[in-house]
Amino acid sequence: MKRVLITGAAGFLGSHLCDKFLDNGFKVVGMDNFLTGSEDNISHLFGNPNFEFYHHDVTKFVHVPGEVDYILHFASPASPIDYLEMPIQTLKVGSLAPYNLLGLARVKKSRFIIASTSEVYGDPNVHPQKEDYWGNVNPIGPRGVYDEAKRFQEAITMGYHTFHGVNTGMVRIFNTYGPRMRLDDGRALPAFMSQALRGEDITVFGDGSQTRSFCYVADLVEGIYRLTMSDYHQPVNIGNPQEITIKEFAEEIVALTGSKSKVIYKDLPKDDPKVRQPDITRAKEILDWTPKVDRAEGLKLTLDYFQKKVK
C-alpha cells in the first residue's frame, strides 16, 4: 500500500483528503497541532488501521519513520480572522514548514504537493485568473501575511523541484465550502449560514458587488487527488468558475435557510479582492477535471451540517 503524509489533517480540507486517500487504498499519516483544526474532523478515523496521527507543529523538524510516497502540505490558518490573529504562525507555516517538508520529501523521494491559494493573485487586474498571471498583492497590507506566505511556498517548492529534482506539484485553491467548516471561520459561507440560522443580520462587506466562485469540497478534493497522482509540477487552479456577487450569495443563503435575517453592509476590509474566478483550462487539459456539484446541491449538503452545529 502506498503511504501519504497529510499536514493540517484535522482541518476542513485536510480531513476530507484523509478520507479520500483512505477510500482509495492508501495508508494515511495525519499531522496537525490543532491550531485551527479540530479533532472532531478526524475522530471517525482513529479506529482505522490504515490511519496514524501525529500531534506535531510542522514549523519544527518533521520526522516520519518508514516510506512516504506522497506528502501533502495543507497546514495553515486559512481565513482572514485566523491569519489576522495569528500573523507570525501563518508566515512560519508558509515558510519553515515547507522547508522542513521538502527536505523530508527529498530524503524519502516523495511526490510533494502544496496547498497554494487564489490569494496569490491578490486583487487581480486579470479576470478570470489564469496560472500564468503573476498577481497584484500588497506584501505589507493586512492580508500580506497569508498571501506572501503562500507565494513563498510556491517559490521554495519550485526551488526544490529545479535544484534538487524533488517531484512537486502546486494546487491553487479557490473558495471552497462544505461540511467540517468552522462556524466561526470568518469566511463568507460559514458567516452567512451561521448568521441566517441564528436569525441575526447577515453582514456583507462593501456594497456586495465583489465576486467569488464557490467550489464544493468533494470536487476540490477530487482535483487535488488527480494532481497528486499526476507528474505535473506547474501550478494548477482548482475551483468552480461559476461566479456570483457576495450580495447575491447572501440572498441565496437567506432563501435557502428560510431565515428572516436582513442583509446589512459594512466597510470593505483593506485589499479585499473585488473579483475572483478561476480559469480551469489547465485542470481540464492536464487532469481531466471539472467540478460536478452545482452550488444549489452543495449548499443543501452544507446546510445539513451547519444546522446540526448551530444546535
Side-chain angles (χ1 to χ4, degrees):
M1 295 175 72
K2 297 286 188 181
R3 194 160 174 249
V4 55
L5 167 64
I6 299 173
T7 73
F12 166 48
L13 295 182
S15 63
H16 283 286
L17 284 166
C18 290
D19 291 339
K20 177 72 173 178
F21 278 88
L22 286 166
D23 289 346
N24 281 274
F26 286 76
K27 287 183 179 290
V28 173
V29 180
M31 191 171 285
D32 206 301
N33 67 346
F34 299 117
L35 186 66
T36 58
S38 169
E39 190 173 321
D40 290 345
N41 291 338
I42 53 171
S43 59
H44 64 289
L45 301 178
F46 288 145
N48 189 323
N50 292 323
F51 180 74
E52 55 185 310
F53 182 76
Y54 290 85
H55 186 175
H56 183 68
D57 178 353
V58 291
T59 66
K60 298 178 171 62
F61 177 75
V62 177
H63 171 68
V64 177
E67 293 186 3
V68 180
D69 300 284
Y70 303 93
I71 298 172
L72 279 70
H73 179 37
F74 276 70
S76 176
S79 79
I81 283 179
D82 289 339
Y83 57 73
L84 290 175
E85 287 182 352
M86 297 177 281
I88 305 304
Q89 292 97 322
T90 302
L91 286 162
K92 287 171 71 174
V93 83
S95 55
L96 299 178
Y99 173 73
N100 292 333
L101 293 162
L102 281 159
L104 182 66
R106 185 184 176 197
V107 170
K108 301 285 187 180
K109 298 184 173 13
S110 315
R111 174 152 168 81
F112 178 83
I113 304 293
I114 59 157
S116 189
T117 172
S118 60
E119 297 304 317
V120 300
Y121 301 121
D123 189 7
N125 299 318
V126 171
H127 193 67
Q129 292 80 58
K130 296 180 68 171
E131 290 90 348
D132 59 3
Y133 175 52
W134 293 355
N136 176 37
V137 173
N138 177 4
I140 59 170
R143 302 172 70 97
V145 294
Y146 182 71
D147 300 358
E148 294 296 353
K150 292 296 189 179
R151 286 161 70 93
F152 177 82
Q153 271 195 164
E154 290 195 8
I156 192 171
T157 298
M158 187 55 71
Y160 268 74
H161 173 80
T162 303
F163 294 102
H164 292 307
V166 176
N167 183 1
T168 61
M170 311 180 201
V171 53
R172 287 182 180 161
I173 298 168
F174 282 68
N175 293 75
T176 305
Y177 68 96
R180 301 182 193 162
M181 293 189 92
R182 294 186 351 245
L183 284 174
D184 62 348
D185 183 276
R187 286 177 278 195
L189 184 137
F192 292 172
M193 271 204 178
S194 59
Q195 287 170 337
L197 289 171
R198 290 168 175 149
E200 301 167 357
D201 290 337
I202 291 182
T203 306
V204 169
F205 294 102
D207 62 6
S209 63
Q210 67 270 35
T211 69
R212 297 294 183 266
S213 304
F214 295 95
C215 184
Y216 187 64
V217 64
D219 283 334
L220 184 90
V221 165
E222 176 64 26
I224 294 166
Y225 181 80
R226 293 188 185 199
L227 177 62
T228 305
M229 295 300 104
S230 77
D231 60 0
Y232 194 71
H233 68 273
Q234 293 290 335
V236 179
N237 289 338
I238 301 289
N240 191 320
Q242 188 179 13
E243 190 179 20
I244 185 173
T245 69
I246 290 296
K247 180 177 183 292
E248 291 168 334
F249 188 59
E251 290 165 351
E252 275 190 1
I253 299 296
V254 171
L256 176 66
T257 57
S259 172
K260 303 294 185 190
S261 298
K262 287 187 273 187
V263 177
I264 62 170
Y265 298 87
K266 293 189 176 181
D267 291 342
L268 191 68
K270 183 176 171 57
D271 300 331
D272 195 65
K274 297 175 188 66
V275 290
R276 187 69 87 226
Q277 183 188 24
D279 182 313
I280 60 169
T281 303
R282 186 175 287 184
K284 288 178 181 176
E285 293 176 351
I286 302 295
L287 308 177
D288 190 26
W289 177 88
T290 53
K292 307 294 184 191
V293 181
D294 68 34
R295 194 168 61 247
E297 180 187 353
L299 287 177
K300 285 179 184 174
L301 294 168
T302 308
L303 177 60
D304 290 342
Y305 174 82
F306 272 58
Q307 283 173 325
K308 293 171 188 170
K309 281 290 181 184
V310 168
K311 285 179 184 176

